[in-house]
């Protein structure tokens, strides 16, 4: 197989344009979106674009080395509020949609985000991080120099810790600030703080009559020990709030019906801990009754697709239909995500589902149509217009020059029967320049989570390995989403058991059925849970000639106490905490089997990874090096657990180069 296009290169990563957050204008004639690209300062720019539904060329609304996002149209469509870092921190800005300069709305010391209009267009609700005694009337954004000075001073002070949840991978060490809900009176330019509890609040929606605000938070006294997230109704006149949920589950993505008498929400009660399928609930505000619309389904609601080129947030639902008789949402199923509709009578309808990744949508109530964001295995992203009759029209042609120049491998879907009869779905990529009769080295990719899903989306790392001459296999072993509740729960309390044999069975299957794979040149890699599994594999078989473990777990005993999720994750996934049965946690720790490792192992880890802290990689490196094994440790400064997905562009490329270097050396 020959190609007139060139092979993919590592530096192509910085050429990609990534779309997100489609928003249809109130009149339905236009939609806006966010485009994110790498810039020359080893960072990203995010800019706002608008395009006619008729498909005319998109028009760029914002410019410069800044991040702009979360554009929301006013109800009359004449103005748009968005968040931007153009002043230094993320603040809210207003833009006239018919042309003109943006005007800054907030100057909060810690920034402002997530704006939403009231239904009458008189108010804007948003998030702000505040200290307990902060005065909204004295909020002033610091200069870059002032922020640096404050940060330097903070580094010289000891960190006093009093809670379990004192750090997180995305935010680092926490302080005493809490996310509060603020409302801006647009006409009078005045701010009012709506919440004051010692908790982080997440705005969900404002009622159509503007009298009640819907938010999510954990306001329980034992919130530090819990993972629940409740829904609350806040009366904007009395400032009293009422809890809608029972304190035993996690609820999010909630909104009022157009008439305001019902609320819809995603959520679940942690029946299977972190492996619980999300449900869709409707709350009747008059009767207080809660109805689960999805109780007979066996699919995961929302977008659980894993990729390494998705930047920015997008709507996954649920969204009310204009007539309030049904709801729209994205669901994750069988390696794809699609757009679905459910009636209040619980009738499920597929509106759009192909072999690809619907990563976001916007609903036009007037025309009962949608703008869909879609990625496929061979196209990073584009927007499409889905009409009521099912007609699909492409609106954008992102990355056109890139796709015309670079060869992208089309995956072959495979299905493998596991030892116990479970069907394991996977995908196989042929190498660039594939020639019949030739033998090629092979790499097995293992996803993180473990409760997530590989599938029909663009994955740069897979494509790069194929471009470098490898056959690439990626699968969804038990524990993955997309195949029902029993399947996603099947790896809990069995790490290194059925999930391991699923992967090995898949490898055996492709070796038996694809003669172009060289069984003497097998490699394996994965990150997070996939890193754990890579570590487990090399401690239990020598069939792989090279391995790369990324942001991995090697020791469940220490993971319990150092990870930002360790104190509950070991219980969720293994059924026990450190003090319950340390011997059992040691039995399933890859570090225990270091003496068995004969596979050359490259360990990649971010220095600021709080999810799977760098000491996990360090322990494994020291043990293997002390045993005189073939091992190398690469530590990425300033990088957290999201290095491969949203890390600095230069570090992301460095990581890919090290993976390729290791496999080229040993395969």
């Amino acid at each position: 197989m020959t190609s007139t296009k060139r092979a993919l290169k590592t530096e192509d990563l910085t050429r990609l344009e990534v779309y997100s957050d489609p928003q249809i204008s109130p009149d339905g004639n236009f939609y806006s979106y966010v485009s994110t690209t790498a810039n020359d300062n080893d960072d990203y720019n995010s800019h706002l674009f608008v395009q006619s539904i008729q498909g005319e060329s998109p028009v760029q609304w914002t410019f410069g080395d800044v991040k702009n996002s979360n554009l929301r149209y006013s109800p009359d469509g004449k103005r748009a509020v968005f968040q931007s870092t153009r002043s230094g921190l993320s603040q809210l800005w207003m833009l006239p949609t018919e042309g003109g300069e943006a005007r800054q709305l907030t100057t909060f010391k810690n920034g402002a985000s997530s704006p939403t209009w009231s239904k009458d267009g008189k108010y804007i609700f948003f998030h702000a991080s505040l200290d307990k005694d902060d005065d909204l009337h004295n909020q002033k954004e610091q200069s870059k120099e002032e922020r640096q000075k404050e940060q330097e001073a903070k580094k010289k002070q000891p960190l006093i810790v009093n809670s379990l949840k004192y750090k997180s991978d995305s935010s680092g060490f926490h302080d005493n600030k809490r996310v509060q809900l603020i409302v801006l009176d647009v006409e009078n330019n005045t701010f009012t703080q709506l919440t004051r509890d010692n908790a982080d609040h997440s705005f969900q929606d404002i009622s159509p009559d503007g009298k009640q605000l819907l938010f999510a938070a954990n306001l329980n006294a034992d919130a530090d020990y819990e993972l629940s997230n409740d829904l609350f109704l806040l009366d904007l006149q009395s400032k009293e709030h009422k809890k809608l949920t029972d304190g035993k589950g996690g609820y999010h993505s909630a909104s009022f019906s157009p008439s305001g008498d019902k609320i819809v929400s995603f959520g679940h009660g942690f029946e299977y801990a972190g492996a619980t399928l999300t449900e869709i609930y409707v709350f009747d505000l008059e009767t207080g009754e809660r109805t689960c619309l999805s109780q007979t389904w066996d699919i995961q609601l929302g977008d659980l697709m894993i990729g390494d080129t998705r930047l920015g947030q997008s709507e996954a639902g649920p969204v009310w239909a204009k007539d309030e008789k049904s709801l729209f949402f994205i669901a994750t199923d069988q390696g794809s995500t699609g757009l679905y509709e459910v009636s209040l009578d619980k009738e499920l309808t597929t509106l759009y589902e192909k072999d690809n990744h619907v990563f976001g949508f916007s609903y036009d109530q007037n025309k009962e149509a949608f703008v869909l964001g879609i990625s496929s295995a061979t196209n990073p992203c584009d927007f499409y217009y889905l009409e009521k009759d099912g007609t699909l029209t492409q609106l954008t042609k992102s990355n056109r020059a890139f796709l015309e120049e670079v060869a992208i491998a089309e995956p072959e879907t495979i299905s493998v029967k596991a030892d116990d009869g479970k069907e394991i779905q996977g995908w196989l990529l042929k190498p660039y320049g594939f020639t019949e009769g030739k033998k090629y080295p092979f790499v097995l990719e293992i996803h993180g989570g473990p409760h997530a899903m590989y599938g029909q989306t663009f994955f740069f790392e897979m494509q790069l390995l194929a471009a470098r001459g490898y056959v690439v296999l990626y699968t969804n072993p038990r524990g993955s989403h997309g195949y029902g509740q029993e399947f996603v729960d099947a790896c809990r309390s069995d790490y290194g058991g059925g999930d391991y044999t699923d992967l090995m069975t898949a490898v055996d299957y492709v070796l038996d059925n694809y003669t172009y794979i060289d069984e003497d040149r097998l490699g394996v890699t994965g990150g997070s849970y996939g890193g754990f599994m890579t570590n487990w594999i090399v401690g239990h078989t020598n069939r792989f000639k090279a391995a790369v473990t990324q942001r991995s777990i090697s020791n469940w005993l220490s993971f319990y106490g150092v990870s930002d999720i360790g104190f509950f994750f070991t219980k969720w996934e293994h059924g026990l905490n450190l003090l319950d049965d340390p011997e059992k946690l040691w039995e399933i720790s890859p570090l225990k089997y270091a003496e068995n490792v004969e596979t050359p192992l490259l360990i990649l880890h971010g220095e600021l990874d709080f999810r799977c802290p760098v000491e996990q990689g360090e322990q494994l490196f020291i043990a293997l090096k002390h045993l005189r094994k073939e091992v190398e440790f690469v530590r990425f400064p300033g990088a957290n657990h999201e290095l491969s997905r949203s890390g600095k562009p230069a570090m992301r490329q460095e990581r890919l180069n090290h993976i390729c270097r290791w496999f080229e050396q040993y395969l």
Side-chain angles (χ1 to χ4, degrees), residues 530-543:
F532 157 82
M533 187 52 68
T534 299
N535 297 340
W536 185 264
I537 285 171
V538 297
H540 288 77
T541 179
N542 292 329
R543 71 186 305 182

Side-chain angles (χ1 to χ4, degrees), residues 334 412-428 442 444 473-478 483 487 498 500-514:
Q334 302 292 318
E412 176 184 346
T413 303
I414 65 170
S415 181
V416 181
K417 191 174 291 295
D419 291 347
D420 59 359
K422 286 183 171 60
E423 291 292 329
I424 308 302
Q425 187 179 29
W427 294 267
L428 200 68
F442 165 96
L444 170 68
L473 173 67
Y474 48 109
T475 71
N476 286 323
R478 68 192 64 200
Y483 309 92
F487 192 91
Y500 168 70
T501 58
D502 286 351
L503 292 165
M504 294 304 99
T505 300
V507 172
D508 291 337
Y509 173 86
V510 296
L511 290 177
D512 290 341
N513 289 276
Y514 298 89

Side-chain angles (χ1 to χ4, degrees), residues 231-256:
L231 296 179
F232 294 85
L233 275 180
L234 174 66
D235 187 297
L236 292 179
Q237 184 173 2
S238 69
K239 299 298 187 291
E240 298 293 324
H241 58 66
K242 178 178 70 173
K243 186 160 70 172
L244 295 177
T245 48
D246 58 10
K248 299 178 182 179
Y251 299 86
H252 60 93
S253 305
S255 64
F256 286 96

